[in-house]
Amino acid sequence: MARLPIDLAGDLGDRLTRAIDPEGKIVRALEALGPVSNRDVVLIDGGDGPIQRRIEATGARLVHGSGGSPLQLDLADASADTMVALWSSFRGADPADIAEADRVLRPDGRLLVVHDYGRDDISTLRGNVPEYGLWSRPGGSFLRRGFRIRVVHCFWTFDSLEAATAFLAEAFGRPGSDLAATLTRPRLTYKVAIYHRTRGAPGR
């Protein structure tokens, strides 16, 4: 499950849940690209996290699905208006996963895939991962398979500079402490890519 972009257990996970995107920019972007409000929405790997709760607050009728590749959903054909996949699924936009999403979506249904974009404070903690460059390139697996990309500029926001420093050190060790030493305010820049596609959109 991927209720958060980084898998942190226990208290660390709870602290990140409170810090991530408090302005709700991610779900506002999902609404603009979907929409999700008052729609039949399949949430892939959503868990019980902030994204799920904010989508529910729009009036969306949520059904949960598990990711993995190849994607296999125990859902009827043409039963959803929008599918939202969070972080751990659709890693590289495999054609079989897209075909399964198209099976479940209604005509003109929307597939919205959330991944980290990089080029921000958070990317300094994770090293070189494919979502930070390869996937978002014009010839990358998403854009050549009919997706477009929306980059959402978000933050991880903490109650104080001390709280941010403590969290980064405990969660990420030396890289976290090094990043904390550069902060002048209790928030970190965080960019999210939402790859969006209409059912049946042709690839390039």
Side-chain angles (χ1 to χ4, degrees):
M1 304 296 280
R3 68 187 182 94
L4 298 171
I6 297 174
D7 185 18
L8 296 173
D11 176 63
L12 288 173
D14 293 339
R15 287 150 71 184
L16 179 54
T17 296
R18 293 192 295 270
I20 191 169
D21 187 28
E23 298 89 356
K25 291 182 178 180
I26 295 173
V27 170
R28 290 206 300 272
L30 293 174
E31 172 65 15
L33 296 170
V36 294
S37 61
N38 303 306
R39 300 298 202 277
D40 293 318
V41 177
V42 178
L43 183 62
I44 306 294
D45 283 353
D48 180 21
I51 304 296
Q52 173 195 313
R53 293 193 291 272
R54 287 173 177 152
I55 292 176
E56 286 178 326
T58 72
R61 298 177 290 275
L62 275 188
V63 174
H64 288 268
S66 296
S69 190
L71 183 67
Q72 294 180 314
L73 299 171
D74 187 20
L75 298 171
D77 294 357
S79 59
D81 300 305
T82 307
M83 184 177 296
V84 178
L86 299 179
W87 290 295
S88 59
S89 57
F90 287 89
R91 297 196 60 79
D94 186 277
D97 298 342
I98 296 171
E100 177 67 351
D102 282 355
R103 180 189 68 79
V104 172
L105 289 169
R106 296 182 176 122
D108 296 322
R110 297 282 285 157
L111 173 58
L112 313 176
V113 179
V114 177
H115 284 301
D116 285 6
Y117 182 70
R119 306 154 178 90
D120 56 19
D121 289 336
I122 308 307
S123 62
T124 66
L125 302 171
R126 300 189 62 197
N128 186 22
V129 292
E131 46 264 61
Y132 287 169
L134 182 63
W135 292 352
S136 60
R137 292 173 185 163
S141 57
F142 281 97
L143 300 189
R144 63 187 169 86
R145 290 183 176 131
F147 286 87
R148 301 179 71 183
I149 185 173
R150 168 82 60 90
V151 178
V152 186
H153 295 252
C154 308
F155 297 96
W156 291 6
T157 304
F158 297 86
D159 292 336
S160 66
L161 195 55
E162 293 75 16
T165 298
F167 171 81
L168 289 169
E170 292 174 43
F172 302 103
R174 181 60 181 271
S177 295
D178 289 346
L179 174 58
T182 70
L183 299 179
T184 59
R185 54 185 177 175
R187 69 180 189 179
L188 292 79
T189 59
Y190 178 49
K191 296 180 183 178
V192 170
I194 302 179
Y195 297 95
H196 54 100
R197 178 183 185 275
T198 299
R199 180 186 182 275
R204 298 198 299 272

